[in-house]
Amino acid sequence: MSARLQVRNLRVAYDRNLAVSIEHLTVEPGTLAAVIGANGAGKSTLINAIANWSRAAPRLSGEILIDDRAVAGKPADLLARRGVVLVPEGRGVFMGLTVEENLRAGLSAVNAGGKTYSLADIYTLFPRLRERGTTPGGSLSGGERQMLAIGRALRMAPRLLLLDEPSIGLAPRLVSLLLETIRALVDGGLTVFLVEQNVHAAMAVADSLYLLERGRVVASGSVAAMRDDPRIIEAYLGARDG
Ligand SMILES: Nc1ncnc2c1ncn2[C@@H]1O[C@H](COP(=O)(O)OP(=O)(O)OP(=O)(O)O)[C@@H](O)[C@H]1O
Ligand SMILES: [Mg+2]
């Protein structure tokens, strides 16, 4: 089986600022890969480049392959047909539509060719959304809005779900709940690529990890191997309380 996502010699630059320079990155089907890195490391630049979604239109070179087909720089509709669905930082939710309307609108947008999720499936995954079905997106809490953004993305039947910092701004208990739900989706066959500043949360659920520093991958491997990597321990795990 071919990799769901392959990135090769990818460079993304804003004017003369090279924000991302990655030689090699792979996500296998049915797995959860996480890119971890500090503020400004290039996480959003990378994930937005894969989805070719950016207001700033940075310069991009190199290869991005979905199921062995080149997609770098391709328009959004083609990426959607290849199954790439992005939940951007800041969350794609219609504030004026209710939760249920948001979830219905998600379906009509595209069908990306992956497994389909019914409204009932989404409500089973996120029972809170069912309770909030008639609430406008703009009145939801941060956690509810993130669940809704993911629910909307699932309605597009992604083959590769891209998540930019799903845990940001959420209370610790909600972070675990959300990431465990994402893990359950992966166990059900979904392929997920997420970027996170929250290293502990990402390591608790991911299969493979890439550590990004100043746009470059400085360590990568399975989560099991990375737990023992001195760079990870020094930078993140050593400082853990309790
Ligand atoms: N629109 C932009 N125009 C110019 N430079 C940008 C733009 N967006 C990001 N950058 C620069 O690219 C680099 C990577 O930023 P990026 O937003 O990708 O990091 P990040 O890892 O997502 O950070 P955060 O954790 O804060 O979301 C930074 O040096 C940043 O200043
Ligand atoms: Mg970011």
Side-chain angles (χ1 to χ4, degrees), residues 44 89 164-165:
S44 295
E89 199 175 339
D164 191 346
E165 302 218 37

Side-chain angles (χ1 to χ4, degrees), residues 9 48 58 65 76 94 130 152 167 193 225:
N9 300 314
N48 292 343
L65 306 171
F94 294 120
R130 189 199 306 272
R152 265 178 51 77
S167 82
F193 180 71

